[in-house]
Amino acid sequence: MRLKIALSKGRILDQVLPVFERAGLELAEHPDDSRKLVIPVKSSPISVVIVRATDAPTYVRLGAADLGIVGKDVLMETGGSDLYELYDTGLARCRLSLAQLSNLPATGKPVLGKIKVATKYEKISREYFASKGIQCEIIKLYGSMELAPHAGLCDRIIDLVDSGSTLKANNLIETETIAHISARLVANKVSYKLKREQLMPLIDRLKRAIV
Ligand code: ADP
Ligand code: MG
C-alpha cells in the first residue's frame, strides 16, 4: 500500500516542498506545473495529495491520507479531534488575532451593544468571545476579512496575521492574539497503529529535514 500525505495548498505547500526535497522525497511532478492532485514521490511508495487547507484534516480523519500537514488554525476550527497531532513543524508561522478599526474602544472595556466580528473562523471566534463573556455577532466570510469593516459589515475581524502589513494598510489595529499558529504534522489514527513500521521512518525523515 502506498502511503499518502495530504498537503495544504498555498503557504504550507510552498514551505513544505523544500522540506520534502531536503528529506530526499522528490515529487514526480511539481504541483504548480501539474493539474494532478495526487502526485507520486519518485522511487518511494509515497504519494502526496494536494488539497484545500480546510479539507486536509478531513482527508486524514477519514483515512484518504495517512499523514497530513495542516495549519493549527484549521485544526482548531475543525475541532482537531479524531486524528493525532504528532509534531509542530514550525512552518507557516503566524498568529490568529483580533483586530479592529483604529477608532474603536477595545473589547476588554464595556462595549455598548453587540460587537460585530467578521471571520473565516466561526467556531474559534464564538468560543473566544464566550470565554470573555462578550456578546458578539459572528459574520462568516471566506476571504479578504480586512475589507469588511470598511464596507460597514462589521467593526472587528479575527484573522491570521503575519507581518501585520495587511492590517496596517487597511487602517486596522491588532488588539489581541488569540492563538499562535504553525503547520502541524497529523496522522490518521488507524494508520498510525497499523502502518507504524512504514510511518515511523518517514516521520523521522521529515522531522530531520525540518530542523
Ligand atoms: P487559503 O487562502 O486557501 O486558506 P493560505 O495559504 O492563505 O490558503 O492559508 C493556508 C494555511 O496557511 C492557513 O490555514 C494557515 O495555517 C497558513 N497561513 C495563512 N496565512 C498565513 C500567513 N500570513 N503566514 C503564515 N501562515 C499562514
Ligand atoms: Mg489566504
Side-chain angles (χ1 to χ4, degrees):
M1 267 298 275
R2 288 184 84 80
L3 287 180
K4 277 188 267 166
I5 310 178
L7 296 181
S8 301
K9 254 185 238 176
R11 284 166 216 260
I12 292 179
L13 182 64
D14 295 343
Q15 297 192 22
V16 165
L17 287 180
V19 170
F20 267 59
E21 237 166 72
R22 279 201 295 282
L25 302 167
E26 196 191 338
L27 300 195
E29 283 173 66
H30 194 286
D32 291 346
D33 310 331
S34 171
R35 284 173 176 275
K36 280 194 196 135
L37 299 178
V38 182
I39 303 177
V41 173
K42 282 186 190 167
S43 34
S44 153
I46 302 169
S47 293
V48 300
V49 191
I50 314 285
V51 298
R52 280 284 303 263
T54 43
D55 293 337
T58 307
Y59 276 75
V60 177
R61 187 168 54 84
L62 298 178
D66 304 291
L67 294 177
I69 298 183
V70 187
K72 181 66 178 175
D73 52 320
V74 174
L75 291 175
M76 287 167 70
E77 183 65 15
T78 55
S81 61
D82 283 337
L83 42 77
Y84 291 129
E85 192 179 315
L86 300 178
Y87 184 64
D88 181 353
T89 68
L91 301 170
R93 263 186 216 282
C94 55
R95 52 197 188 274
L96 185 66
S97 292
L98 175 65
Q100 62 179 49
L101 289 168
S102 34
N103 58 353
L104 289 179
T107 45
K109 309 192 179 81
V111 181
L112 287 180
K114 261 193 187 178
I115 61 169
K116 281 193 193 175
V117 183
T119 187
K120 266 208 268 202
Y121 303 96
E122 243 180 324
K123 174 177 178 290
I124 300 173
S125 301
R126 214 172 284 293
E127 288 170 1
Y128 171 75
F129 287 110
S131 78
K132 299 251 163 191
I134 295 170
Q135 285 251 67
C136 75
E137 183 184 336
I138 310 277
I139 300 155
K140 165 91 182 184
L141 289 183
Y142 295 87
S144 302
M145 260 59 68
E146 65 280 0
L147 299 180
H150 298 287
L153 189 64
C154 59
D155 40 37
R156 307 179 202 243
I157 63 171
I158 286 181
D159 200 10
L160 297 176
V161 182
D162 181 11
S163 67
S165 56
T166 305
L167 292 181
K168 203 174 262 174
N170 288 283
N171 257 315
L172 295 163
I173 50 167
E174 202 177 342
T175 54
E176 219 154 332
T177 301
I178 296 171
H180 293 279
I181 303 297
S182 54
R184 309 295 162 98
L185 180 66
V186 297
N188 173 268
K189 286 188 167 178
V190 175
S191 301
Y192 192 70
K193 289 195 186 83
L194 299 185
K195 300 185 186 175
R196 212 183 158 81
E197 273 171 43
Q198 261 180 298
L199 284 178
M200 281 320 198
L202 172 61
I203 293 168
D204 280 345
R205 215 162 141 183
L206 287 172
K207 280 187 183 174
R208 278 200 305 273
I210 288 163
V211 287

